[in-house]
Amino acid sequence: MTRAGAVLALVATLVSGAESLCAQPVSGQGGVVFDSYSFGEGLGFESMRQIAVPVVVESRVSERASLTLATGWTQVSMGLDDGQSLELAGLIDTEARLTVAVRPERLSVFLSGSVPTGLGTVAEEKLALLGPLSHDLLAFSTPTLGGGGSVGIGAAGAAATGTTSIGWAAHLRVPLTYEPVVGSGDEVRAGTEVRARIGMESPVGRRSFFRVAAVMSLRGKDRLDGAPVNGVGRRLAGYASLDTPLAGTVATVWTSGFYRSDPSLEPTAVGASVVPRGGMLAAGARVVMGVGAVTRLEPEVEIRTSAAAPDAAGLDLETEGRLVRLGLRLRRPLQSGLGLVAEAGGVWGTLHEGVHSVDTRGLRAAVAFSWTR
């Protein structure tokens, strides 16, 4: 399918689903997220900042179908060591998903798509922004600005065995071709991806719950002007958590991470691209406590570390850095159908660039509103 054909098909889906939006229940979320980092010497830049305004709207379009739209706006800037700065701003890609419940609460199928409204094409002198923005340890709220669009199809289901609930999902995503660098004339298409997920929730004792999930994805080679180049290959991600009541609160401990098995060193439109073997591991804890009748406070701590092979042929993994994140989240309903979530936190740790360890400091502040009609 051509890029134009895929986008037209997605638009047709949205129009057909939107015919009854006004007559069906609608919910949405929107807010502002601010991330800021400062770095010691050794990286070539001294700061990264991002302001993001995400918006998500979901509506029932029939008794068994729902339509979800997600988009937003972002501005990201990088302060260089020489006092200069780089900046990008604009819309991100608009994502849509139409879900149909074949058997309610048991089996659903969905169509997904991404309209290329974002900053998929970037001037070459601003490409330096994209690497730190997508760094696994930094965890910016909007790590990608645009990618040429995509179409996809999938299914999800759930079942219960005694007191244990099991869920699964499978998704096929086909990216579309786009020009990533202004004026290069080169066209890139990311590899087709197949993703499978399985999860389980089970009680532990009388009041605690254990949850675990695993995601396996396989992505083909990217293509540059029709020729295969670098690819991510196999990727395995996992998550496990335990929720338990503790002294009038609910405490959660969790661990998560991913492993990327296939390294690659290939030419791209903007030079050599290294996609090394490696992964990330995180662990954290959160306490949910009530303040008054309806307000909830959630202090949280998380530790992240990542490692990667130094090059495509590397067998041993080298640490990329370690970060500790401390934060506090507030949840409060404001009035009927309207809710508020506010968050503030800080980050401390080091990133490694070769033999150098670079001190890293950061903060995040966010406010979001949810509503239903």
Side-chain angles (χ1 to χ4, degrees), residues 281-293:
L281 182 64
R286 176 176 57 250
V287 176
V288 179
M289 60 184 68
V291 178

Side-chain angles (χ1 to χ4, degrees), residues 54-136:
V55 178
V56 180
V57 178
E58 181 177 1
S59 174
R60 303 290 301 180
V61 296
S62 71
E63 290 186 358
R64 294 196 175 191
S66 64
L67 178 65
T68 303
L69 299 175
T71 188
W73 176 90
T74 187
Q75 179 190 61
V76 58
S77 61
M78 170 188 284
L80 304 179
D81 287 347
D82 60 5
Q84 302 295 314
S85 64
L86 302 176
E87 182 177 307
L88 284 172
L91 294 174
I92 62 175
D93 284 355
T94 300
E95 299 181 2
R97 174 174 294 197
L98 179 64
T99 303
V100 178
V102 179
R103 294 183 60 191
E105 300 184 359
R106 289 292 181 266
L107 176 63
S108 298
V109 296
F110 58 86
L111 298 174
S112 63
S114 177
V115 178
T117 54
L119 298 172
T121 300
V122 178
E124 186 169 357
E125 62 270 17
K126 296 185 178 181
L127 289 172
L129 284 162
L130 304 184
L133 188 64
S134 60
H135 198 291
D136 296 315

Side-chain angles (χ1 to χ4, degrees), residues 20-354:
S20 56
L21 279 178
C22 295
Q24 299 292 337
V26 178
S27 63
Q29 300 177 26
V32 179
V33 184
F34 175 72
D35 288 300
S36 177
Y37 287 91
S38 61
F39 308 95
E41 296 182 356
L43 297 178
F45 54 93
E46 60 183 19
S47 65
M48 284 283 296
R49 293 181 177 85
Q50 183 183 56
I51 299 174
V53 184
V55 178
V56 180
V57 178
E58 181 177 1
S59 174
R60 303 290 301 180
V61 296
S62 71
E63 290 186 358
R64 294 196 175 191
S66 64
L67 178 65
T68 303
L69 299 175
T71 188
W73 176 90
T74 187
Q75 179 190 61
V76 58
S77 61
M78 170 188 284
L80 304 179
D81 287 347
D82 60 5
Q84 302 295 314
S85 64
L86 302 176
E87 182 177 307
L88 284 172
L91 294 174
I92 62 175
D93 284 355
T94 300
E95 299 181 2
R97 174 174 294 197
L98 179 64
T99 303
V100 178
V102 179
R103 294 183 60 191
E105 300 184 359
R106 289 292 181 266
L107 176 63
S108 298
V109 296
F110 58 86
L111 298 174
S112 63
S114 177
V115 178
T117 54
L119 298 172
T121 300
V122 178
E124 186 169 357
E125 62 270 17
K126 296 185 178 181
L127 289 172
L129 284 162
L130 304 184
L133 188 64
S134 60
H135 198 291
D136 296 315
L137 286 180
L138 299 181
F140 279 98
S141 64
T142 307
T144 59
L145 305 181
S150 66
V151 292
I153 188 171
T161 303
T163 58
T164 299
S165 299
I166 298 174
W168 61 269
H171 186 212
L172 171 66
R173 178 177 177 270
V174 182
L176 306 177
T177 301
Y178 69 107
E179 180 184 327
V181 182
V182 174
S184 69
D186 293 300
E187 292 188 336
V188 171
R189 184 174 72 82
T192 298
E193 182 181 49
V194 177
R195 180 178 298 182
R197 181 184 188 277
I198 187 167
M200 180 193 74
E201 178 183 274
S202 181
V204 179
R206 291 188 300 173
R207 297 193 297 170
S208 299
F209 284 88
F210 176 70
R211 298 176 177 89
V212 63
V215 182
M216 176 68 182
S217 62
L218 179 62
R219 201 178 97 181
K221 290 280 188 177
D222 299 343
R223 290 187 172 270
L224 172 61
D225 295 332
V229 286
N230 52 287
V232 173
R234 294 183 296 274
R235 189 174 187 271
L236 178 64
Y239 173 85
S241 70
L242 177 66
D243 297 344
T244 187
L246 180 65
T249 68
V250 177
T252 301
V253 293
W254 77 86
T255 182
S256 65
F258 72 85
Y259 177 71
R260 184 172 49 240
S261 65
D262 293 351
S264 180
L265 177 61
E266 299 289 350
T268 71
V270 293
S273 173
V274 179
V275 184
R277 182 173 63 90
M280 186 196 73
L281 182 64
R286 176 176 57 250
V287 176
V288 179
M289 60 184 68
V291 178
V294 295
T295 302
R296 298 292 180 267
L297 287 180
E298 301 176 7
E300 183 176 273
V301 59
E302 182 186 58
I303 302 173
R304 287 186 170 214
T305 183
S306 69
D311 53 51
L315 297 178
D316 297 326
L317 301 183
E318 297 182 357
T319 300
E320 292 184 306
R322 295 183 179 89
L323 295 179
V324 177
R325 184 184 300 270
L326 298 175
L328 179 65
R329 188 177 299 110
L330 178 148
R331 300 179 187 271
R332 179 180 175 84
L334 300 179
Q335 56 183 343
S336 178
L338 182 64
L340 167 70
V341 179
E343 178 183 351
V347 179
W348 299 265
T350 58
L351 297 181
H352 299 307
E353 181 67 19

